[in-house]
Amino acid sequence: MQSRSRPMDTAPMRALARIADRIVAVTAWIATVTVIIMCLHVSVSALMRSVLNITLPGTVEIVMYYYMVLVAFLPWSMAQKLGEHVTVDLLTALLSDRVLGWLQFAVDLFSAAVTGVICWALVSMALRQSALGQIVETGWFGLPVWPARWLAALGCGAMVFVLFVQIISRRRLPTNSLTKPEVAL
Amino acid sequence: MNVEVGLAALVILTGLLALRVPIGIALVAVGAGGIYYLRGFGPAFGMLRSVPFDFTAHWTLSAVPMFVLMSAIASHSGLTADLYASMRLWFGRLPGGLAIATSFAGAGFAAICGSSLATTAAMGRIAVPEMVKAGYDKSLAAGCAAAVGTVGALIPPSILMVLYALFAQVSVGKMLVAGLLPGLLTTLAYALMIGIRCHLNPSLAPKVDMSGVTLRDKAASLRRIWPVGLIATMVVGVIYGGIATATEAGAIGAVATALVAFTQRTLDRKGLMECARETVVITATLLLIGIGATLLAQFLALSGVPRFLSAALQDITTNHVAIILICCLIYLVMGAFLDTIGIMLLTLPILIPIFKQLGVNEIWAGVILVKMLEIGLLTPPLGMNVFVMNRVSADSIKLGTIFKGVSWFLLVEVVIMAILILIPSVILFLPSMMIG
């Protein structure tokens, strides 16, 4: 009975959880540093334009295709780990812990399926754009944006992996696992 | 037929949300699933290939992380303490002076923060204990701190305004500036209500001894808060003057706020990283919802639901005031179980086409909807500002007491909403004067 009330605590499970932890830490760190660099880059660009009448080439394109993509997609896995994706608590107060545990399991499976399809679509687009060598013209130079397609796919893929680990770690955990998985995620 | 599919999809979406599927995931599933049902795999997969990236790689949207970062730094570095101390010296003599000071300090903080919850939390920590200690009625003190947070989403910088502008395809600068006068009007109306109430019933707010405070002290207090005033004015000024975009204003505002906090030793490198981390998690979850809302909007457009609803609405009324009142009612109901950004992103794919079809001014409607969302933060059962105030007080001020205090501010809100709905120029005057 005890094994039914605890998450799977096997060596492969711990290894998977460690990998997921590392992926979350790295992607979140990159996004965190990116938002600071973005802030400084945009400020310097705006000040140079207003004060010195000098335009910093490619600022808008770098912000749009790199900073925004990194900040938007990479933290998805961390948000999943922390249970920060926004949900509606409408009926959950009426349900028992046991039902809630199974509900969360089903929601995670559904989320993984949806995120998996998004990831598939993003990878497919990244492959296509890489083959075409997609670039955007900044007025000064052509900025390759096909790598950014891979960054988006990477962020989405990281969330799928975290969901996968959460699902299998919850597999034998029907209760008390509503908000956070029990493994060290 | 397509309309029925669209309406059925909205029912399924409600079901998924009720089952606690994350809003962003539910929106993507219903949006892409609906396109698949109507047009087949190719178009649905094509949308999934392009929408997430194209929605995110957007200059207008880049204002969101900058505003969130500015807000996080402002909240983290406790700039509110000096603001409140100064306002206290200036307004402390008035009836209910500490509560009035809380209103003005809250508005000042909102001008660099933009988050209702953060403003309430900050004022709840600093101003409420002092008001309670001075013998103020607890419901007045806590109600004031909870209510003043709501101006956060009106006075620029405001994330809700940026998101609305993006979906309504209106100028983000005009949208941000449009919230300024309603925000200031709300603050003044709060102060006026507090003053009148406390004048009529002095037991609510015993006089605080301010006899030793000189004009020199008051002037000296401004020296500590001038950076906040400067940053707030700069952010609004550069957007209003067309000197910089909202993203640039947010970025410069965030850098300036960080510099002030570093100088005042209220922020260090670790704190900055913490703020940045908080920023990216908030931004990423928000953008996932935005991606889902865009897919839903595409699907609904294919299904013809907005056209159907706008025709149905036209059968009832074509009066813009009546239409906006119906929207307010919908928001009030949704506010019972959804957070502000969730409500906005869920409803805009339906409301914006209706506004466009019926010729409703989108900026006017946007400000009123944002105001309505903020009022939802004060009303039961999900009055988030009230819950934040309760948590900040470590439950020493009960929810019932705070809701009681907030009810007076809700009365003021009814008057302000009536003014904003009946006199649209209060909202539209500043945007109409903007350069560019």
Side-chain angles (χ1 to χ4, degrees), chain B residues 155-338:
Chain B
I155 297 176
S158 164
I159 295 150
L160 282 175
M161 295 287 193
V162 174
L163 288 174
Y164 180 87
L166 190 77
F167 275 85
Q169 292 177 314
V170 295
S171 153
V172 66
K174 286 189 176 179
M175 199 63 221
L176 284 165
V177 168
L180 185 61
L181 280 184
L184 294 177
L185 180 69
T186 305
T187 311
L188 284 174
Y190 282 175
L192 196 66
M193 182 273 286
I194 294 165
I196 293 172
R197 263 191 87 198
C198 296
H199 177 71
L200 296 175
N201 182 4
S203 69
L204 284 173
K207 279 223 175 244
V208 181
D209 182 21
M210 305 288 286
S211 54
V213 178
T214 63
L215 191 61
R216 185 189 286 263
D217 295 330
K218 291 179 185 176
S221 75
L222 293 179
R223 243 178 271 143
R224 289 280 295 172
I225 63 163
W226 71 263
V228 175
L230 185 69
I231 294 167
T233 313
M234 182 193 67
V235 169
V236 177
V238 294
I239 295 172
Y240 186 78
I243 298 164
T245 63
T247 305
E248 291 168 337
I252 296 171
V255 171
T257 310
L259 285 177
V260 170
F262 275 127
T263 314
Q264 296 184 349
R265 295 181 189 285
T266 50
L267 184 74
D268 54 16
R269 201 168 62 89
K270 199 176 153 203
L272 180 65
M273 286 300 279
E274 201 52 51
C275 293
R277 213 154 82 122
E278 194 184 312
T279 299
V280 296
V281 172
I282 292 172
T283 305
T285 50
L286 207 150
L287 294 188
L288 177 58
I289 299 175
I291 290 167
T294 309
L295 280 165
L296 182 74
Q298 306 267 12
F299 159 62
L300 289 178
L302 282 176
S303 73
V305 164
R307 256 196 325 276
F308 168 78
L309 289 179
S310 99
L313 200 58
Q314 261 173 316
D315 286 344
I316 303 168
T317 179
T318 51
N319 184 302
H320 293 183
V321 171
I323 289 167
I324 207 74
L325 284 174
I326 292 170
C327 294
C328 288
L329 194 66
I330 294 168
Y331 270 37
L332 199 66
V333 173
M334 291 183 82
F337 53 90
L338 262 169

Side-chain angles (χ1 to χ4, degrees), chain B residues 374-387:
Chain B
E374 293 300 298
I375 291 173
L377 294 174
L378 300 178
T379 53
L382 198 76
M384 282 307 291
N385 276 15
V386 174
F387 287 109

Side-chain angles (χ1 to χ4, degrees), chain A residues 73-125:
Chain A
F73 288 94
L74 291 197
W76 281 9
S77 55
M78 164 157 273
Q80 181 59 38
K81 174 190 159 180
L82 299 176
E84 293 277 347
H85 283 294
V86 188
T87 52
V88 181
D89 289 314
L90 186 59
L91 300 175
T92 45
L94 307 171
L95 304 174
S96 70
D97 280 355
R98 190 179 177 80
V99 175
L100 280 177
W102 284 111
L103 181 62
Q104 187 61 47
F105 180 71
V107 165
D108 283 351
L109 273 179
F110 183 76
S111 300
V114 173
T115 324
V117 174
I118 302 173
C119 190
W120 173 27
L122 289 173
V123 168
S124 138
M125 194 60 159

Side-chain angles (χ1 to χ4, degrees), chain B residues 15-209:
Chain B
L16 289 174
L17 294 179
L19 290 173
R20 222 169 169 272
V21 174
I23 298 175
I25 299 286
L27 284 167
V28 170
V30 172
I35 296 169
Y36 170 73
Y37 189 83
L38 290 178
R39 292 281 190 273
F41 178 78
F45 195 65
M47 285 287 185
L48 279 177
R49 278 161 58 130
S50 58
V51 167
F53 190 88
D54 294 345
F55 174 80
T56 309
H58 203 293
W59 176 252
T60 304
L61 204 60
S62 62
V64 171
M66 297 298 93
F67 284 173
V68 177
L69 182 63
M70 186 176 169
S71 167
I73 295 170
S75 318
H76 188 277
S77 52
L79 293 173
T80 25
D82 290 331
L83 263 177
Y84 175 69
S86 177
M87 293 300 116
R88 182 187 174 280
L89 293 181
W90 283 93
F91 299 103
R93 275 182 216 275
L94 298 173
L98 297 185
I100 292 173
T102 305
S103 289
F104 288 125
F109 186 63
I112 54 165
C113 175
S115 158
S116 299
L117 301 181
T119 307
T120 290
M123 299 321 299
R125 264 188 217 107
I126 295 158
V128 173
E130 189 181 334
M131 284 193 268
V132 172
K133 202 171 152 191
Y136 273 49
D137 180 74
K138 277 186 180 178
S139 70
L140 170 68
C144 175
V148 75
T150 62
V151 296
L154 289 170
I155 297 176
S158 164
I159 295 150
L160 282 175
M161 295 287 193
V162 174
L163 288 174
Y164 180 87
L166 190 77
F167 275 85
Q169 292 177 314
V170 295
S171 153
V172 66
K174 286 189 176 179
M175 199 63 221
L176 284 165
V177 168
L180 185 61
L181 280 184
L184 294 177
L185 180 69
T186 305
T187 311
L188 284 174
Y190 282 175
L192 196 66
M193 182 273 286
I194 294 165
I196 293 172
R197 263 191 87 198
C198 296
H199 177 71
L200 296 175
N201 182 4
S203 69
L204 284 173
K207 279 223 175 244
V208 181
D209 182 21

